[in-house]
Amino acid sequence: MVRAQAPGPVTFHANIICGMAPDVTGNSVTVQPGQGGESSGHCAFYSTGIGGISWTVG
């Protein structure tokens, strides 16, 4: 979950590293100041597991 600490709305998405499967970009989410939101995605069934998660603003 990301909570907006900026004076205006913030748009972000999750970046999910999926091991041997293609990486996934989560859905884009816009949150208002003081509110929270989640971006999610799913690795393919043949993934060797999640290798990392980060997020991108913008």
Side-chain angles (χ1 to χ4, degrees):
M1 167 153 341
V2 171
R3 185 164 303 281
Q5 300 295 325
V10 175
T11 301
F12 70 96
H13 66 266
N15 305 300
I16 305 164
I17 300 169
C18 293
M20 299 299 286
D23 295 343
V24 175
T25 299
N27 56 306
S28 184
V29 177
T30 300
V31 292
Q32 300 300 318
Q35 294 184 335
E38 294 180 358
S39 173
S40 63
H42 300 277
C43 294
F45 72 93
Y46 56 88
S47 170
T48 54
I50 295 175
I53 301 173
S54 65
W55 50 278
T56 301
V57 174

Coordinates of all heavy atoms in Angstrom, one line a residue:
M1 N 0.8 -1.2 0.0 CA 0.0 0.0 0.0 C 0.9 1.2 0.0 O 1.9 1.3 0.7 CB -0.9 0.0 1.2 CG -1.5 1.4 1.3 SD -3.1 1.8 2.1 CE -4.1 0.6 2.2
V2 N 0.5 2.2 -0.8 CA 1.2 3.5 -0.9 C 0.3 4.6 -0.3 O -0.9 4.6 -0.7 CB 1.6 3.8 -2.3 CG1 2.1 5.2 -2.4 CG2 2.7 2.8 -2.8
R3 N 0.8 5.4 0.5 CA 0.0 6.5 1.1 C 0.6 7.8 0.5 O 1.7 8.1 0.6 CB 0.0 6.5 2.6 CG -0.9 7.6 3.2 CD -1.2 7.4 4.6 NE -1.8 6.1 5.0 CZ -3.1 5.7 4.8 NH1 -3.9 6.6 4.3 NH2 -3.5 4.6 5.1
A4 N -0.3 8.7 -0.1 CA 0.1 9.9 -0.7 C 0.5 11.0 0.4 O -0.3 11.3 1.3 CB -1.0 10.5 -1.6
Q5 N 1.7 11.4 0.4 CA 2.2 12.5 1.3 C 2.4 13.8 0.5 O 2.9 14.8 1.1 CB 3.5 12.0 2.0 CG 3.4 10.8 2.8 CD 2.5 10.9 3.9 OE1 2.4 11.9 4.6 NE2 1.7 9.8 4.2
A6 N 2.1 13.8 -0.7 CA 2.3 15.0 -1.6 C 1.1 15.9 -1.4 O 0.0 15.6 -1.0 CB 2.4 14.6 -3.1
P7 N 1.3 17.2 -1.9 CA 0.2 18.2 -1.8 C -0.9 17.9 -2.8 O -2.0 18.5 -2.7 CB 0.9 19.5 -2.0 CG 2.1 19.2 -2.7 CD 2.5 17.8 -2.3
G8 N -0.7 17.1 -3.8 CA -1.7 16.8 -4.8 C -1.8 15.3 -5.0 O -1.1 14.5 -4.4
P9 N -2.6 14.9 -6.0 CA -2.8 13.5 -6.3 C -1.5 12.8 -6.8 O -0.7 13.5 -7.4 CB -3.9 13.4 -7.3 CG -4.1 14.8 -7.7 CD -3.5 15.7 -6.8
V10 N -1.3 11.5 -6.5 CA -0.1 10.8 -6.9 C -0.6 9.6 -7.7 O -1.5 8.8 -7.2 CB 0.8 10.4 -5.8 CG1 1.9 9.5 -6.2 CG2 1.3 11.6 -5.0
T11 N 0.0 9.3 -8.9 CA -0.4 8.1 -9.7 C 0.9 7.2 -9.7 O 2.0 7.7 -9.9 CB -0.7 8.5 -11.1 OG1 -1.9 9.4 -11.1 CG2 -1.1 7.3 -11.9
F12 N 0.7 6.0 -9.4 CA 1.8 5.0 -9.4 C 1.4 3.6 -9.9 O 0.2 3.4 -10.0 CB 2.3 4.9 -7.9 CG 1.4 4.2 -7.0 CD1 1.5 2.9 -6.7 CD2 0.3 4.9 -6.4 CE1 0.6 2.2 -5.9 CE2 -0.6 4.3 -5.6 CZ -0.4 2.9 -5.3
H13 N 2.3 2.8 -10.1 CA 2.1 1.3 -10.4 C 3.2 0.5 -9.9 O 4.3 1.0 -9.7 CB 1.8 1.1 -11.9 CG 3.0 1.3 -12.7 ND1 3.3 2.5 -13.4 CD2 4.1 0.5 -13.0 CE1 4.4 2.4 -14.0 NE2 4.9 1.2 -13.8
A14 N 2.9 -0.8 -9.6 CA 3.9 -1.7 -9.1 C 4.6 -2.4 -10.2 O 4.1 -2.5 -11.3 CB 3.2 -2.8 -8.3
N15 N 5.9 -2.7 -10.0 CA 6.7 -3.4 -10.9 C 7.1 -4.7 -10.2 O 7.7 -4.7 -9.2 CB 8.0 -2.6 -11.3 CG 7.7 -1.2 -11.8 OD1 7.0 -1.1 -12.8 ND2 8.1 -0.2 -11.1
I16 N 6.7 -5.9 -10.8 CA 6.9 -7.1 -10.1 C 7.9 -8.0 -11.0 O 7.6 -8.2 -12.2 CB 5.6 -7.9 -10.0 CG1 4.6 -7.0 -9.2 CG2 5.8 -9.2 -9.2 CD1 3.2 -7.4 -9.3
I17 N 9.0 -8.4 -10.4 CA 10.0 -9.2 -11.0 C 9.6 -10.7 -10.8 O 9.5 -11.1 -9.6 CB 11.4 -8.9 -10.5 CG1 11.7 -7.5 -10.8 CG2 12.4 -9.9 -11.1 CD1 13.0 -7.0 -10.1
C18 N 9.4 -11.4 -11.8 CA 8.8 -12.8 -11.7 C 9.7 -13.9 -12.0 O 9.3 -14.9 -12.6 CB 7.6 -12.9 -12.7 SG 6.2 -11.8 -12.2
G19 N 11.0 -13.8 -11.6 CA 11.9 -14.9 -11.8 C 12.0 -15.3 -13.3 O 12.3 -14.4 -14.1
M20 N 11.8 -16.6 -13.7 CA 11.9 -17.0 -15.1 C 10.8 -16.6 -16.0 O 10.9 -16.8 -17.2 CB 12.1 -18.5 -15.1 CG 13.4 -19.0 -14.3 SD 14.9 -18.3 -15.0 CE 15.1 -19.3 -16.5
A21 N 9.7 -16.2 -15.4 CA 8.5 -15.7 -16.2 C 8.7 -14.2 -16.5 O 9.5 -13.5 -15.9 CB 7.2 -16.0 -15.4
P22 N 7.9 -13.7 -17.5 CA 8.0 -12.3 -17.8 C 7.6 -11.5 -16.6 O 6.7 -11.8 -15.8 CB 7.0 -12.1 -18.9 CG 6.9 -13.5 -19.6 CD 7.1 -14.4 -18.4
D23 N 8.3 -10.3 -16.4 CA 7.9 -9.4 -15.3 C 6.6 -8.8 -15.6 O 6.0 -8.8 -16.7 CB 9.0 -8.3 -15.2 CG 10.3 -8.9 -14.8 OD1 10.4 -10.0 -14.3 OD2 11.3 -8.2 -15.0
V24 N 5.9 -8.3 -14.5 CA 4.6 -7.8 -14.6 C 4.5 -6.3 -14.1 O 5.2 -6.0 -13.2 CB 3.6 -8.7 -13.7 CG1 2.2 -8.1 -13.7 CG2 3.6 -10.1 -14.2
T25 N 3.7 -5.5 -14.8 CA 3.4 -4.2 -14.3 C 2.0 -4.1 -13.8 O 1.1 -4.5 -14.5 CB 3.6 -3.1 -15.5 OG1 4.9 -3.2 -16.0 CG2 3.2 -1.7 -15.0
G26 N 1.9 -3.7 -12.6 CA 0.6 -3.7 -11.9 C -0.3 -2.6 -12.5 O 0.2 -1.7 -13.3
N27 N -1.6 -2.5 -12.1 CA -2.5 -1.5 -12.5 C -2.1 -0.2 -12.0 O -1.5 0.0 -11.0 CB -3.9 -1.9 -12.1 CG -4.0 -2.0 -10.6 OD1 -3.2 -2.8 -10.0 ND2 -4.9 -1.3 -9.9
S28 N -2.4 0.9 -12.8 CA -2.1 2.2 -12.4 C -3.2 2.7 -11.4 O -4.4 2.5 -11.6 CB -2.1 3.1 -13.7 OG -1.7 4.4 -13.4
V29 N -2.7 3.4 -10.4 CA -3.6 3.8 -9.3 C -3.3 5.3 -9.0 O -2.1 5.7 -8.9 CB -3.4 3.0 -8.0 CG1 -4.2 3.5 -6.9 CG2 -3.6 1.5 -8.3
T30 N -4.3 6.1 -8.8 CA -4.2 7.5 -8.4 C -4.8 7.6 -7.0 O -5.9 7.2 -6.8 CB -4.9 8.4 -9.4 OG1 -4.3 8.3 -10.7 CG2 -4.8 9.9 -8.9
V31 N -4.0 8.2 -6.1 CA -4.5 8.4 -4.7 C -4.4 9.9 -4.4 O -3.5 10.6 -4.9 CB -3.6 7.6 -3.7 CG1 -3.9 6.1 -3.8 CG2 -2.2 7.9 -3.8
Q32 N -5.3 10.4 -3.6 CA -5.4 11.8 -3.2 C -4.6 12.0 -1.9 O -4.3 11.0 -1.2 CB -6.9 12.1 -2.9 CG -7.8 12.0 -4.2 CD -7.4 12.9 -5.3 OE1 -7.0 14.0 -5.1 NE2 -7.4 12.3 -6.5
P33 N -4.2 13.2 -1.6 CA -3.4 13.5 -0.4 C -4.0 12.8 0.8 O -5.2 13.0 1.1 CB -3.4 15.0 -0.3 CG -3.6 15.4 -1.7 CD -4.5 14.4 -2.4
G34 N -3.2 12.1 1.6 CA -3.6 11.5 2.8 C -4.3 10.2 2.6 O -4.6 9.5 3.6
Q35 N -4.6 9.8 1.4 CA -5.3 8.5 1.1 C -4.3 7.5 0.7 O -3.2 7.8 0.3 CB -6.4 8.7 0.1 CG -7.5 9.5 0.5 CD -8.6 9.6 -0.5 OE1 -8.4 9.4 -1.7 NE2 -9.8 9.9 -0.1
G36 N -4.7 6.2 0.7 CA -3.8 5.1 0.3 C -4.4 4.3 -0.8 O -5.6 4.5 -1.1
G37 N -3.6 3.6 -1.5 CA -4.0 2.7 -2.6 C -3.1 1.6 -2.9 O -1.9 1.6 -2.4
E38 N -3.5 0.6 -3.7 CA -2.7 -0.6 -4.0 C -2.7 -0.8 -5.5 O -3.7 -0.6 -6.2 CB -3.3 -1.8 -3.3 CG -3.2 -1.8 -1.8 CD -3.8 -3.1 -1.2 OE1 -4.3 -3.9 -2.0 OE2 -3.7 -3.2 0.0
S39 N -1.5 -1.2 -6.0 CA -1.4 -1.7 -7.4 C -1.0 -3.1 -7.3 O -0.1 -3.5 -6.4 CB -0.3 -0.8 -8.1 OG 0.0 -1.4 -9.3
S40 N -1.6 -4.0 -8.1 CA -1.2 -5.4 -7.9 C -1.1 -6.0 -9.3 O -1.6 -5.5 -10.3 CB -2.3 -6.1 -7.1 OG -3.6 -6.1 -7.8
G41 N -0.4 -7.2 -9.3 CA -0.3 -8.0 -10.6 C 0.1 -9.4 -10.1 O 0.3 -9.6 -9.0
H42 N 0.0 -10.3 -11.1 CA 0.2 -11.7 -10.8 C 1.3 -12.3 -11.8 O 1.1 -12.1 -13.0 CB -1.1 -12.5 -10.9 CG -2.1 -12.0 -10.0 ND1 -2.2 -12.4 -8.7 CD2 -3.2 -11.2 -10.1 CE1 -3.2 -11.8 -8.1 NE2 -3.8 -11.1 -8.9
C43 N 2.2 -13.0 -11.2 CA 3.2 -13.7 -12.1 C 2.5 -14.9 -12.7 O 1.6 -15.5 -12.1 CB 4.4 -14.1 -11.2 SG 5.4 -12.8 -10.6
A44 N 3.1 -15.3 -13.8 CA 2.5 -16.5 -14.5 C 2.7 -17.8 -13.6 O 3.6 -17.8 -12.8 CB 3.3 -16.7 -15.8
F45 N 1.9 -18.8 -13.9 CA 1.9 -20.0 -13.1 C 3.3 -20.7 -13.1 O 3.6 -21.4 -12.2 CB 0.8 -21.0 -13.5 CG 1.1 -21.6 -14.8 CD1 1.7 -22.9 -14.9 CD2 0.7 -21.0 -16.0 CE1 2.0 -23.5 -16.1 CE2 0.9 -21.6 -17.2 CZ 1.6 -22.9 -17.3
Y46 N 4.0 -20.5 -14.2 CA 5.3 -21.2 -14.3 C 6.5 -20.3 -13.8 O 7.7 -20.7 -13.9 CB 5.6 -21.5 -15.8 CG 5.6 -20.4 -16.7 CD1 6.7 -19.6 -17.0 CD2 4.4 -20.1 -17.4 CE1 6.6 -18.5 -17.9 CE2 4.3 -19.0 -18.3 CZ 5.5 -18.2 -18.5 OH 5.4 -17.2 -19.4
S47 N 6.2 -19.2 -13.1 CA 7.2 -18.4 -12.5 C 8.0 -19.1 -11.4 O 7.4 -20.0 -10.8 CB 6.5 -17.1 -11.9 OG 7.5 -16.4 -11.1
T48 N 9.2 -18.8 -11.3 CA 10.0 -19.4 -10.2 C 9.9 -18.6 -8.9 O 10.6 -18.9 -7.9 CB 11.5 -19.5 -10.6 OG1 11.9 -18.2 -11.0 CG2 11.7 -20.4 -11.8
G49 N 9.0 -17.7 -8.9 CA 8.8 -16.9 -7.7 C 9.0 -15.4 -7.9 O 9.7 -15.0 -8.8
I50 N 8.5 -14.6 -7.0 CA 8.7 -13.2 -7.1 C 10.2 -12.8 -6.6 O 10.6 -13.2 -5.5 CB 7.7 -12.4 -6.2 CG1 6.3 -12.6 -6.8 CG2 8.0 -10.9 -6.2 CD1 5.2 -12.1 -6.0
G51 N 10.9 -12.2 -7.5 CA 12.3 -11.8 -7.2 C 12.4 -10.4 -6.6 O 13.4 -10.0 -6.1
G52 N 11.4 -9.6 -6.8 CA 11.4 -8.3 -6.2 C 10.2 -7.5 -6.6 O 9.5 -7.8 -7.6
I53 N 9.9 -6.4 -5.8 CA 8.8 -5.5 -6.1 C 9.3 -4.1 -5.9 O 9.9 -3.8 -4.9 CB 7.6 -5.8 -5.2 CG1 7.1 -7.3 -5.3 CG2 6.5 -4.8 -5.4 CD1 6.1 -7.7 -4.3
S54 N 8.9 -3.2 -6.8 CA 9.2 -1.8 -6.7 C 8.0 -1.0 -7.2 O 7.0 -1.7 -7.6 CB 10.5 -1.4 -7.5 OG 10.2 -1.6 -8.9
W55 N 8.0 0.3 -7.2 CA 6.9 1.0 -7.7 C 7.5 2.2 -8.4 O 8.6 2.7 -8.2 CB 5.9 1.4 -6.6 CG 6.6 2.1 -5.4 CD1 7.2 1.5 -4.3 CD2 6.7 3.5 -5.1 NE1 7.6 2.4 -3.4 CE2 7.3 3.6 -3.9 CE3 6.3 4.6 -5.8 CZ2 7.6 4.9 -3.3 CZ3 6.5 5.9 -5.2 CH2 7.2 6.0 -4.0
T56 N 6.7 2.7 -9.4 CA 7.0 3.8 -10.2 C 5.9 4.9 -10.1 O 4.7 4.6 -10.2 CB 7.1 3.4 -11.7 OG1 8.1 2.4 -11.8 CG2 7.5 4.5 -12.6
V57 N 6.3 6.1 -9.9 CA 5.4 7.2 -9.8 C 5.3 7.9 -11.2 O 6.4 8.1 -11.8 CB 5.8 8.2 -8.8 CG1 4.9 9.5 -8.8 CG2 5.8 7.6 -7.4
G58 N 4.1 8.2 -11.6 CA 4.0 8.9 -12.9 C 3.2 8.2 -13.9 O 2.8 7.1 -13.8

